[in-house]
Amino acid sequence: MTKSQTLMEAYNGTAYPLIGHGKRNAQVLKEAFANVEDSLSSDMYGSGRVIERYQERMAKLLGKEAAVFFPSGTMAQQIALRIWSDEKGSKKIAYHPLSHLEIHEEDGLKELHHLEPLLLADENRPVLLRDLHGLPGDVSAVLLELPQREIGGQLPEYGELEAMSAYCRQRGIKLHLDGARLFEVLPYYGKSAAEVCALFDSVYISVYKGIGGIAGAVLAGEKSFTKQSKVWKRRHGGDLISLYPYIVAADYYMDQRLQRMEQYYRDAVELAGYYRACGALHVRPEVPVSNMFHVHSDLEKAQLESAFIRVADETGVGLCSTVREHKAGGVYFEVSMGDRYADAPKAKLEEAFRLLKECLEDETGGK
Amino acid sequence: MTKSQTLMEAYNGTAYPLIGHGKRNAQVLKEAFANVEDSLSSDMYGSGRVIERYQERMAKLLGKEAAVFFPSGTMAQQIALRIWSDEKGSKKIAYHPLSHLEIHEEDGLKELHHLEPLLLADENRPVLLRDLHGLPGDVSAVLLELPQREIGGQLPEYGELEAMSAYCRQRGIKLHLDGARLFEVLPYYGKSAAEVCALFDSVYISVYKGIGGIAGAVLAGEKSFTKQSKVWKRRHGGDLISLYPYIVAADYYMDQRLQRMEQYYRDAVELAGYYRACGALHVRPEVPVSNMFHVHSDLEKAQLESAFIRVADETGVGLCSTVREHKAGGVYFEVSMGDRYADAPKAKLEEAFRLLKECLEDETGGK
């Protein structure tokens, strides 16, 4: 048994890392292209069979008139909100305080598009109908993220979602879906992608979260919307001569993984149960509603890391690779389920959690 | 012998297509990855060995402190000009009337960055020192494209370039290089990439023109500049989780093709000579100064197309796949040299041009 120095090293050295689908490496690309003919023509600046066929597949799956492949969700979502803003002639849009656009994009939405976001809801819960009641009438669009990633992947109940959709429609406010993890919430909602998307005027989905592609995103809506989005895609520098490396991979891994989303969700529920049974850890949401959840603790970062390193080194189970500190104090880590979880034998998992519990009890003095 | 219906079909059916490196298809990616280990880790949002090593290679090659890999040149160049504009506090920048930014980007520079381009020079020639003399003092940056693609790949003489660089430095105007085809002009200038780049404050190069990669661009300059460019890259939605499919291909094809730029240039000079010897065609520039040139004609589009189709069908030599119409009247086509030209036997070439000349004489009534 080697003693690992850092949590990341320990995690990477385990026989049973539990998070996601596997390492992000060249094998992901090579597997996706293994059965692709050499003669498959590249897309050319948004045209060509490889991109058009995939876009048609996605439009159908999402129940929208048309879909456009983008290099990133950052680009796709800024553009969606910009189109709705221009259409209404108002810079005001609204989203959750922990939206990707607010905290991970260096304020691209403000710096490039001069949009003015209104922040909805308490940052510890998802947006609800009552948050929309206070919006001024000249808001162009509301963005809802399903599930809300930064708070562990929480969701509004489906009836609440329908009510928000109806509310926005009545008031001429466009509703945009940040569906980075849309497919991952469908088993909990018990709905098809098209059913959920029907509540929204525009929809973004990611091809490298639950689907596990290399990079890329899809933006879908009516043709008048997607047509404008292509103009903005070119303006942003996203209309690459060739996007096929991402498209072929997205197509390939969708075939494998869309059907596994139910399993990932059930696995998350199971694994969250193990964590709930440990003292000193709090799972959020308590019972997952997608393939992901967060685990919070009042322990020190170093204490939690050393517990995970010991579990990794002694049992070969990688529970977590990164512990983060909250601004407000305390620490947390994210768990998202993919193909890997199925590889870990139940007995190994139980051994790992017995040891984790023991380590945490040592740290907290058995409290 | 089959009779082709369209010029593109005829060109694609030839044994000896003369343009570029070959078809843009999945083989390009598969060849680049054939000897890449499965375990090669993806870059992650601009970090990681695969992107950092390539950026270091490019910084060194271009003689700059640092380099950043971008998904597209459209994105990289808008960002370069924005940074210089912010630094000087002036929205005014200047470039050639047929700059890529002016005619191919749906006005992204204006729509996203609100920059105000001043158009330099007559659109039929490259920018010269005298064009800079009239610039207002509050211009932030001048962009020079070497070679100027839309006019057949024309270049200012090197002394003129040095004089423009000195002029801008003296006046506190940043000079940015649109070097989409920089490597392609080095044999004519007889300079290294670093020598040319030393005349500029910021430099963009493309990895899929002469280099023949899949997509992508590099932006280089001082560290204070590239650091800002990374913030804007994220804002644009260009900071993808994984850019390695493009980076690995760029690295692979640079190894092969940087050393062949001299050959591509000589081939262009040779092929232009064949065209000059045909009646009814005008080569621009008369003697190429890079791997590319344009051929203009006063014939009708259909006349030129039918001549090329006949040459393709009867000799197996693909001279041209697309004839374009000028707004001002007349037609032209672009020729850019790559690996393919070397595959065409000299006797075949001569046969093709004998037939082309004959066809054109028929069209022009032997005038």
Side-chain angles (χ1 to χ4, degrees):
Chain A
M1 191 183 317
T2 40
K3 264 228 155 205
S4 301
Q5 297 303 302
T6 70
L7 176 53
M8 185 60 84
E9 281 171 22
Y11 178 85
N12 285 334
T14 58
Y16 305 111
L18 298 187
I19 307 292
H21 300 305
K23 292 210 168 90
R24 292 186 56 86
N25 60 25
Q27 189 274 332
V28 173
L29 180 144
K30 292 176 96 170
E31 182 184 327
F33 275 82
N35 294 313
V36 170
E37 294 290 335
D38 279 6
S39 60
L40 177 82
S41 290
S42 172
D43 51 312
M44 283 286 282
Y45 299 113
S47 296
R49 198 171 151 83
V50 65
I51 189 166
E52 284 160 16
R53 276 186 61 175
Y54 183 72
Q55 289 176 166
E56 284 159 20
R57 176 186 184 179
M58 294 307 298
K60 200 171 166 193
L61 182 65
L62 302 172
K64 295 294 182 194
E65 264 185 18
V68 181
F69 191 87
F70 274 81
S72 75
T74 295
M75 192 184 293
Q77 297 209 101
Q78 285 182 24
I79 287 172
L81 295 177
R82 172 64 184 260
I83 291 169
W84 297 139
S85 162
D86 283 354
E87 185 172 304
K88 190 151 176 174
S90 162
K91 296 286 184 193
K92 288 183 200 152
I93 51 95
Y95 52 53
H96 191 275
L98 299 179
S99 168
H100 195 273
L101 293 98
E102 189 65 14
I103 66 175
H104 290 307
E105 301 181 7
E106 295 279 4
D107 278 341
L109 188 77
K110 301 165 200 168
E111 296 286 341
L112 290 170
H113 295 287
H114 310 286
L115 298 193
E116 297 163 9
L118 306 170
L119 303 182
L120 296 164
D122 176 328
E123 71 171 42
N124 296 305
R125 61 162 176 82
V127 177
L128 300 172
L129 179 60
R130 67 174 188 267
D131 301 309
L132 305 186
H133 287 151
L135 284 180
D138 62 346
V139 165
S140 306
V142 167
L143 174 149
L144 294 179
E145 184 185 345
L146 302 180
Q148 196 74 46
R149 185 256 181 114
E150 296 292 339
I151 52 172
Q154 296 181 52
L155 276 180
E157 289 306 315
Y158 199 75
E160 185 84 21
L161 192 57
E162 288 176 311
M164 287 191 280
S165 173
Y167 185 89
C168 287
R169 290 232 162 115
Q170 279 158 21
R171 278 155 193 80
I173 297 171
K174 297 292 182 183
L175 195 58
H176 171 77
L177 172 57
D178 178 341
R181 293 164 184 81
L182 170 66
F183 301 114
E184 293 86 325
V185 305
L186 299 177
Y188 174 78
Y189 275 154
K191 301 287 178 187
S192 70
E195 283 171 312
V196 177
C197 293
L199 303 175
F200 294 85
D201 299 290
S202 54
V203 171
Y204 141 72
I205 65 106
S206 169
V207 304
Y208 66 87
K209 311 277 176 355
I211 292 169
I214 298 172
V218 172
L219 186 63
E222 290 183 3
K223 278 185 187 161
S224 57
F225 168 84
T226 57
K227 191 178 164 195
Q228 290 179 72
S229 80
K230 289 181 184 179
V231 174
W232 283 106
K233 180 183 172 191
R234 167 143 314 191
R235 288 174 176 156
H236 266 251
D239 192 18
L240 308 196
I241 184 168
S242 297
L243 284 164
Y244 75 85
Y246 301 137
I247 295 167
V248 167
D251 207 31
Y252 175 83
Y253 290 110
M254 280 180 69
D255 283 343
Q256 294 186 10
R257 294 188 179 128
L258 280 182
Q259 64 203 353
R260 296 185 199 155
M261 294 292 167
E262 172 96 30
Q263 189 58 50
Y264 303 151
Y265 161 55
R266 292 187 188 286
D267 290 344
V269 170
E270 180 178 286
L271 188 60
Y274 282 106
Y275 279 111
R276 279 198 308 274
C278 293
L281 299 180
H282 312 282
V283 179
R284 189 186 189 196
E286 206 171 335
V287 179
V289 291
S290 72
N291 74 323
M292 73 168 289
F293 57 90
H294 283 182
V295 181
H296 295 258
S297 174
D298 295 327
L299 290 172
E300 299 292 315
K301 187 165 183 275
Q303 291 177 310
L304 211 49
E305 285 174 345
S306 79
F308 285 130
I309 290 172
R310 198 172 150 209
V311 170
D313 286 350
E314 294 185 20
T315 72
V317 176
L319 294 173
C320 162
S321 66
T322 313
V323 175
R324 296 170 201 280
E325 285 171 316
H326 274 296
K327 277 179 298 181
V331 299
Y332 77 102
F333 56 94
E334 183 168 291
V335 179
S336 67
M337 313 304 292
D339 293 346
R340 273 172 163 174
Y341 186 74
D343 296 333
K346 195 61 75 82
K348 272 283 161 196
L349 264 183
E350 286 173 359
E351 186 193 338
F353 276 97
R354 267 197 306 275
L355 180 57
L356 178 66
K357 198 172 173 185
E358 197 185 301
C359 294
L360 298 178
E361 279 167 2
D362 288 349
E363 295 292 355
T364 54
K367 277 182 288 189
Chain B
M1 194 182 313
T2 41
K3 259 220 159 220
S4 300
Q5 295 304 300
T6 69
L7 176 54
M8 184 62 84
E9 279 170 25
Y11 179 84
N12 286 334
T14 57
Y16 305 111
L18 298 188
I19 308 293
H21 300 306
K23 291 209 168 89
R24 293 187 56 87
N25 61 24
Q27 189 273 333
V28 174
L29 180 143
K30 293 176 95 169
E31 181 184 329
F33 275 83
N35 294 312
V36 170
E37 295 289 335
D38 279 6
S39 60
L40 177 83
S41 290
S42 172
D43 51 312
M44 283 284 282
Y45 299 114
S47 296
R49 197 171 152 81
V50 66
I51 190 167
E52 285 160 15
R53 275 186 60 175
Y54 183 72
Q55 290 175 166
E56 284 159 21
R57 176 185 184 179
M58 293 308 297
K60 200 171 164 191
L61 182 64
L62 302 172
K64 294 295 183 193
E65 263 186 20
V68 181
F69 191 88
F70 275 80
S72 74
T74 295
M75 191 184 293
Q77 296 208 100
Q78 285 182 24
I79 287 172
L81 295 177
R82 174 61 183 263
I83 291 169
W84 298 138
S85 161
D86 283 355
E87 185 173 302
K88 187 147 178 178
S90 163
K91 296 287 185 193
K92 288 183 201 150
I93 51 94
Y95 51 52
H96 191 275
L98 299 179
S99 169
H100 196 274
L101 292 99
E102 189 66 13
I103 65 174
H104 289 308
E105 302 182 6
E106 294 280 3
D107 277 340
L109 188 77
K110 300 165 200 168
E111 295 287 341
L112 291 170
H113 295 286
H114 309 288
L115 297 194
E116 297 162 11
L118 305 171
L119 303 183
L120 295 166
D122 175 328
E123 70 172 43
N124 296 305
R125 61 161 176 83
V127 177
L128 300 172
L129 179 61
R130 66 175 188 265
D131 302 308
L132 305 185
H133 287 151
L135 285 179
D138 63 345
V139 165
S140 306
V142 167
L143 175 148
L144 294 181
E145 184 186 346
L146 302 181
Q148 196 74 46
R149 185 254 179 113
E150 296 291 341
I151 50 172
Q154 296 180 51
L155 276 181
E157 290 305 316
Y158 198 73
E160 185 84 21
L161 192 57
E162 288 176 312
M164 288 192 279
S165 173
Y167 185 89
C168 288
R169 289 233 163 113
Q170 279 158 19
R171 278 153 192 81
I173 298 171
K174 296 292 182 183
L175 194 60
H176 171 77
L177 171 57
D178 178 341
R181 296 164 182 80
L182 170 65
F183 301 115
E184 292 87 325
V185 304
L186 299 178
Y188 174 78
Y189 275 154
K191 301 286 177 186
S192 70
E195 284 172 311
V196 177
C197 293
L199 302 176
F200 293 85
D201 299 290
S202 55
V203 171
Y204 140 71
I205 65 105
S206 169
V207 304
Y208 65 87
K209 311 279 180 349
I211 293 170
I214 299 172
V218 172
L219 186 63
E222 290 185 2
K223 278 184 184 160
S224 58
F225 169 84
T226 57
K227 192 178 165 196
Q228 291 179 73
S229 81
K230 289 180 183 179
V231 174
W232 283 108
K233 180 183 171 189
R234 168 144 310 192
R235 287 174 177 155
H236 265 252
D239 192 19
L240 308 196
I241 184 168
S242 297
L243 284 165
Y244 74 86
Y246 301 137
I247 295 167
V248 167
D251 208 28
Y252 175 82
Y253 289 109
M254 279 178 69
D255 284 343
Q256 293 186 12
R257 293 188 178 128
L258 281 183
Q259 65 204 355
R260 295 186 199 154
M261 293 295 166
E262 171 97 30
Q263 188 60 49
Y264 303 151
Y265 161 56
R266 292 187 187 285
D267 291 343
V269 170
E270 179 177 287
L271 189 59
Y274 281 106
Y275 279 111
R276 276 198 309 275
C278 293
L281 298 180
H282 313 281
V283 179
R284 190 186 189 195
E286 206 171 336
V287 179
V289 291
S290 72
N291 73 324
M292 72 170 289
F293 57 91
H294 283 182
V295 182
H296 295 257
S297 173
D298 294 327
L299 290 173
E300 298 292 314
K301 188 165 183 277
Q303 291 177 309
L304 210 49
E305 284 173 345
S306 80
F308 285 130
I309 290 173
R310 198 172 151 209
V311 171
D313 287 351
E314 295 186 20
T315 71
V317 176
L319 294 174
C320 163
S321 65
T322 313
V323 175
R324 297 171 200 281
E325 283 170 317
H326 273 296
K327 277 178 299 181
V331 298
Y332 77 103
F333 57 94
E334 182 168 291
V335 179
S336 67
M337 313 305 292
D339 293 345
R340 273 171 161 174
Y341 186 73
D343 296 334
K346 193 62 72 82
K348 273 282 162 197
L349 265 182
E350 285 172 0
E351 184 192 339
F353 275 96
R354 266 196 307 273
L355 180 57
L356 179 66
K357 198 171 172 185
E358 195 185 303
C359 295
L360 297 178
E361 280 168 1
D362 288 350
E363 295 293 355
T364 54
K367 277 182 289 190

